[in-house]
Amino acid sequence: MRVLCVDPGEKRIGLAVSDPSGTIARPLTILEHRSREVDAREIVHLAESLGVGLIVVGVPYTWNGTIGPAARRALRLADAIREVGSITVMTWDESGSSRRAQALLQEMHASRKKRREPLDHRAAAIILQDFLDIQADLKTKPTHKPDTEDDEESQKA
């Protein structure tokens, strides 16, 4: 399933999308923030045009996991997206994604010009890749199934 990630900021909204299998994230685009309702409609329209089955909205929780002003704005955007469209919307902790995007550009020896460009869509790709990796881990973790003999023994006791 293709997933769209939204990294909302005060001025810009970074978007990233996964491949159709929901395995690999890539930066998509940056939207200029206008109003919550307009942003939500634009995000839903884009998601529908890409055939997205899930929208993940990054929420910047504070260092101790509480909801600050930026997290409240992100949660309100997630609610607005739910109201506008029929695609499932989830929230995901995006704390530190912009710093990680900047560090990644430095590791890649990107030019100063490239590093000064807005990182919003790259941060969205980092958030989305984290989400996709954890979802894949959850799918591949073995579940414990009791041996039939052990199960029968415990029932007799």
Side-chain angles (χ1 to χ4, degrees):
M1 166 180 54
R2 191 174 292 242
V3 182
L4 178 73
C5 182
V6 179
D7 181 19
E10 286 187 48
K11 297 179 183 178
R12 293 177 298 274
I13 300 168
L15 299 174
V17 68
S18 74
D19 63 325
S21 70
T23 307
I24 300 170
R26 69 174 174 84
L28 182 62
T29 191
I30 299 173
L31 303 177
E32 293 298 319
H33 168 64
R34 288 182 270 167
S35 74
R36 189 177 315 123
E37 293 76 23
V38 171
D39 296 342
R41 280 195 301 271
E42 194 167 351
I43 291 164
V44 168
H45 176 73
L46 184 60
E48 290 171 345
S49 71
L50 292 169
V52 164
L54 175 66
I55 298 173
V56 175
V57 178
V59 178
Y61 294 101
T62 62
W63 63 271
N64 63 355
T66 59
I67 297 173
R72 266 192 294 283
R73 281 192 300 274
L75 292 169
R76 285 194 297 258
L77 177 60
D79 287 341
I81 294 168
R82 285 184 189 102
E83 289 174 17
V84 171
S86 59
I87 300 171
T88 301
V89 177
M90 289 181 64
T91 59
W92 192 256
D93 185 3
E94 64 103 328
S95 303
S97 61
S98 294
R99 284 188 299 275
R100 289 172 45 208
Q102 184 66 44
L104 186 60
L105 284 177
Q106 287 175 340
E107 281 178 30
M108 294 171 33
H109 304 291
S111 68
R112 287 182 195 258
K113 180 182 176 187
K114 192 70 146 176
R115 290 192 314 249
R116 281 193 300 264
E117 293 174 1
L119 297 171
D120 306 82
H121 61 317
R122 287 180 172 78
I126 287 171
I127 297 163
L128 181 55
Q129 194 63 59
D130 284 349
F131 173 82
L132 296 173
D133 291 347
I134 290 194
Q135 297 306 306
D137 284 350
L138 291 174
K139 287 179 187 174
T140 59
K141 282 195 178 193
T143 56
H144 174 72
K145 293 185 181 177
D147 289 344
T148 316
E149 292 175 23
D150 290 342
D151 197 33
E152 288 173 12
E153 293 288 322
S154 65
Q155 287 178 358
K156 290 177 185 175

